[in-house]
Amino acid sequence: CAANGTCTVTAQADCAAGLIWTSGGACTPNPCTPAVTPVTPQLFVANFVGKNVVSFVNPSTVNGNQAPNTNLAGAQTQITNPADIVVTASGILHVANRLVAPTGAITVYPGASTANGNVVPARNVQGANTGLSLPTTLAISPVNDLLFVANNAAPFDINVYTGASTAGFNGNLAPARTIKSAALNFPFGINMGVGTAGNAAASDDLYVANNGTSQILVFANASTRNGVITPDRTLTNAAFAVLFDCFVDSGDRLYVVNSAGGGNRIHVINNASTKNGAVTIDS
């Protein structure tokens, strides 16, 4: 067991009874108890027009005209039209600043749960080498410490950066890999899948909400993909319209978000890791 709660398995015999051995050398679920103390649940919200990021603790009980617990705002934060955010397992906040001239930026704030006010980011990925071009949505792969960033300017590629939680993620940094595909068309939301008892590898599926074609694209083995590839799965339904985001929860349920142009609806599809082609909406 590593200090951050991850585990390294050297042989299948190291997996305790009832756990699933994967050929990559891991047990599912992770048999290690995280060394860090679990933090209080916290909801982070990126305000694109307000140019700030707010958070609310214990979101399952928050209701009404509630003041946020934290509010990252001000010129020193370098937050400009934040389109999306992710928080790493170690509590580091990444913000996709879509409209920072000339091509966008990713700003980074350690101690996400307490980062507040007009504070300077610890790191800022920006510049010609980054491959950023209107970065609109982020996804984090905690097992590999990878950050996926989808660009909303043609050719709509997805940059993959290693060491997302490290000091090396900073400056005019080139992506380690770039996922390109003719199927990508204004990707407005990306998120990782969730491993299941029958398919542990599903946690490495990258789901993409394609705004331009109103489809959900899925790229398997996303942590290793590079170059021009074809989606491994494409999910469609006539009710999908002008998609803004997608998300897979711990129960393998896929949430597909239609924007105002699609009627402001959220569609739920069960058993997401098994679906391909035309899908039925469960709720």
Side-chain angles (χ1 to χ4, degrees):
C1 293
N4 65 357
T6 60
C7 68
T8 300
V9 181
T10 58
Q12 185 169 356
D14 291 339
C15 267
L19 298 178
I20 300 168
W21 164 259
T22 65
S23 58
C27 283
T28 304
N30 181 355
C32 294
T33 301
V36 296
T37 303
V39 297
T40 302
Q42 194 163 353
L43 172 68
F44 291 84
V45 181
N47 293 300
F48 184 80
V49 175
K51 300 182 180 181
N52 65 324
V53 175
V54 297
S55 76
F56 304 86
V57 298
N58 295 315
S60 63
T61 60
V62 171
N63 189 33
N65 190 12
Q66 177 75 41
N69 294 90
T70 63
N71 181 7
L72 273 172
Q76 291 190 140
T77 68
Q78 300 178 40
I79 293 175
T80 305
N81 300 110
D84 202 6
I85 47 176
V86 290
V87 179
T88 69
S90 56
I92 299 173
L93 173 69
H94 293 69
V95 180
N97 298 285
R98 187 173 190 265
L99 298 183
V100 170
T103 58
I106 309 296
T107 49
V108 182
Y109 311 84
S113 63
T114 57
N116 190 36
N118 189 14
V119 299
V120 177
R123 297 187 289 280
N124 183 9
V125 174
Q126 184 178 4
N129 293 338
T130 64
L132 296 175
S133 185
L134 298 182
T136 300
T137 177
L138 309 175
I140 195 83
S141 177
V143 174
N144 306 296
D145 200 23
L146 299 176
L147 182 71
F148 296 81
V149 183
N151 290 316
N152 249 212
F156 310 117
D157 46 21
I158 299 174
N159 294 331
V160 186
Y161 301 90
T162 58
S165 63
T166 68
F169 183 73
N170 191 33
N172 191 10
L173 177 69
R177 291 178 286 106
T178 301
I179 296 173
K180 302 174 181 289
S181 177
L184 289 168
N185 194 310
F186 288 99
F188 262 70
I190 60 174
N191 269 301
M192 303 302 295
V194 174
T196 66
N199 183 11
S203 63
D204 202 20
D205 287 348
L206 180 67
Y207 287 74
V208 180
N210 235 20
N211 181 275
T213 63
S214 298
Q215 298 171 320
I216 299 294
L217 312 179
V218 186
F219 297 93
N221 305 309
S223 63
T224 62
R225 305 298 286 274
N226 189 36
V228 179
I229 59 177
T230 300
D232 296 275
R233 295 185 283 136
T234 301
L235 281 56
T236 61
N237 187 287
F240 293 172
V242 198
L243 303 185
F244 254 38
D245 209 353
C246 60
F247 177 78
V248 180
D249 72 8
S250 59
D252 198 29
R253 288 176 290 265
L254 170 66
Y255 297 78
V256 179
V257 182
N258 281 14
S259 69
N264 292 317
R265 296 172 179 243
I266 299 175
H267 310 289
V268 185
I269 294 94
N270 296 334
N271 304 310
S273 61
T274 67
K275 298 300 174 67
N276 192 23
V279 298
T280 299
I281 293 173
D282 294 287
S283 60

